[in-house]
Amino acid sequence: MTKWILGFVGLLLIGVIGYTILTSRSTQATETTGITSAPHETTNPGALNPEATTTPNSTGSTGTTGQTGGTKSGYTLADVATHNSAASCWTVINGKVYDVTSWITQHPGGQQAILSLCGKDGSAAFTEQHGTQSRPNSELATFLIGSLAH
Amino acid sequence: MFGIPRDLIFYTHIATLCAAGCGVVIADKVGFSWFRGKVDTLSSRTLNTLHTLMGVALIGMILSGITLFWPAREYLITQASFYIKMTFVIVLILNAFVIDHLMSVATRMPFRDVSTSQKRFLMISGAVSLCAWVGAATTAFSLFP
């Protein structure tokens, strides 16, 4: 009996990882398609505005995680700033971008400490509170989604 | 995930690993006593209990591991060491089926009477099991330095 449950759980593991890889790749492929279509969208120069000009740059390259707003060199602070709520909370710590949405309700120090960092560079607050403590830094690493664009 | 505190899942994962580690040590001790001829045969009840316990520990580790993997999936699938660890886990699952098939030999005859090919399979299976458990645990530490 145990071996059949083990077999099922093993297949479940492979399925979950496979699903994650496939969805991640398909999201990246969608973004890549966005790059190639971007020049066609700008065939009407009159429609081009400064924001549109930046669009191919900000979505045109593949992000490290396949999330929207990624760039080859990383996410911009503007990208991060759009994720400034409990529904989607991104923060920047020491030049890296983290999606800490799922951590808000689990943070031992309370939700407010995380909510105050949403959409912002939280390097100073994080360093002040946790410094080089290994556990918070290990936890933080699990939420990494990319680097901050330079 | 599913409203279960992340820390609880993490410590369950570690506790199950410790239980599995104890199981590996006991199973190896029992196996070596048969291998070295200290006992002619092993009790099928002992073997089944140990094998079931190791299976349950492995199932517990995989389920808690999936729960830990999900929130960090975007990070983990970019890490080579994650795939190395998963290879060890798959090896452990496959080896559990091999051990399930082979272990009854130890309940029927002394090690000296086992055929050379079966001895080879038994020793390889035991070594693979130990290496995969140590490898999977060690690789995990490089994922979250």
Side-chain angles (χ1 to χ4, degrees), chain A residues 13-136:
Chain A
L13 175 71
I14 293 168
V16 168
I17 295 170
Y19 170 80
T20 304
I21 293 168
L22 286 175
T23 50
S24 178
R25 282 187 183 164
S26 71
T27 310
Q28 285 178 356
T30 307
E31 288 180 5
T32 308
T33 310
I35 305 170
T36 52
S37 63
H40 300 295
E41 288 168 3
T42 58
T43 49
N44 176 7
L48 200 64
N49 59 41
E51 282 190 335
T53 314
T54 61
T55 302
N57 289 332
S58 62
T59 61
S61 306
T62 307
T64 53
T65 65
Q67 301 211 30
T68 54
T71 71
K72 188 174 277 181
S73 56
Y75 296 96
T76 64
L77 270 175
D79 293 329
V80 176
T82 60
H83 298 269
N84 59 355
S85 67
S88 182
C89 177
W90 290 13
T91 189
V92 178
I93 311 283
N94 300 327
K96 290 182 176 171
V97 181
Y98 300 89
D99 180 352
V100 291
T101 310
S102 63
W103 184 242
I104 292 171
T105 55
Q106 299 181 46
H107 183 236
Q111 298 185 19
Q112 197 52 45
I114 304 297
L115 286 169
S116 66
L117 306 179
C118 297
K120 299 175 188 168
D121 188 327
S123 306
F126 181 82
T127 306
E128 184 185 338
Q129 186 64 34
H130 297 300
T132 55
Q133 293 170 343
S134 60
R135 183 72 199 279

Side-chain angles (χ1 to χ4, degrees), chain B residues 29-50:
Chain B
K29 193 181 171 191
V30 170
F32 267 106
S33 66
W34 177 67
F35 169 69
R36 294 171 70 186
K38 285 186 177 177
V39 291
D40 280 345
T41 56
L42 297 175
S43 146
S44 61
R45 190 179 169 200
T46 306
L47 282 188
N48 283 328
T49 305
L50 276 172

Side-chain angles (χ1 to χ4, degrees), chain A residues 2-7 9-10 12-14 16-17 19-21 24 64-67 102-103 106 108 134-135 138-139 141-145, chain B residues 1 5-7 10-11 52 55-56 58-59 62-63 66 69-75 77-78 82-83 86 89-90 93 96-97 100 144-145:
Chain A
T2 311
K3 69 178 178 181
W4 298 119
I5 298 173
L6 183 59
V9 170
L12 179 68
L13 175 71
I14 293 168
V16 168
I17 295 170
Y19 170 80
T20 304
I21 293 168
S24 178
T64 53
T65 65
Q67 301 211 30
S102 63
W103 184 242
Q106 299 181 46
S134 60
R135 183 72 199 279
S138 298
E139 288 284 359
T142 66
F143 302 111
L144 180 68
I145 57 171
Chain B
M1 193 181 192
R6 190 184 166 85
D7 278 358
F10 175 76
Y11 288 120
T52 305
V56 169
L58 191 52
I59 291 167
I62 294 169
L63 289 177
I66 290 172
F69 160 78
W70 192 250
R73 60 192 181 279
E74 297 291 357
Y75 164 74
I77 61 170
T78 63
F82 171 71
Y83 293 101
M86 286 307 109
V89 174
I90 298 298
I93 294 170
F97 283 86
D100 186 72
F144 301 112

Side-chain angles (χ1 to χ4, degrees), chain B:
Chain B
M1 193 181 192
F2 307 124
I4 306 168
R6 190 184 166 85
D7 278 358
L8 181 65
I9 300 166
F10 175 76
Y11 288 120
T12 303
H13 197 67
I14 298 298
T16 322
L17 172 66
C18 293
C22 293
V24 168
V25 171
I26 295 169
D28 280 355
K29 193 181 171 191
V30 170
F32 267 106
S33 66
W34 177 67
F35 169 69
R36 294 171 70 186
K38 285 186 177 177
V39 291
D40 280 345
T41 56
L42 297 175
S43 146
S44 61
R45 190 179 169 200
T46 306
L47 282 188
N48 283 328
T49 305
L50 276 172
H51 188 58
T52 305
L53 280 175
M54 293 301 294
V56 169
L58 191 52
I59 291 167
M61 291 212 70
I62 294 169
L63 289 177
S64 57
I66 290 172
T67 317
L68 288 170
F69 160 78
W70 192 250
R73 60 192 181 279
E74 297 291 357
Y75 164 74
L76 288 172
I77 61 170
T78 63
Q79 303 299 306
S81 49
F82 171 71
Y83 293 101
I84 295 169
K85 181 180 171 168
M86 286 307 109
T87 305
F88 282 126
V89 174
I90 298 298
V91 167
L92 279 173
I93 294 170
L94 295 177
N95 197 49
F97 283 86
V98 175
I99 291 174
D100 186 72
H101 180 68
L102 290 177
M103 70 178 185
S104 63
V105 177
T107 64
R108 294 197 308 265
M109 61 179 86
F111 185 74
R112 61 180 174 275
D113 295 341
V114 176
S115 68
T116 309
S117 63
Q118 273 190 320
K119 278 181 184 170
R120 194 178 299 134
F121 268 118
L122 283 164
M123 295 181 80
I124 290 172
S125 176
V128 164
S129 175
L130 185 61
C131 290
W133 275 109
V134 173
T138 311
T139 319
F141 288 105
S142 68
L143 280 173
F144 301 112

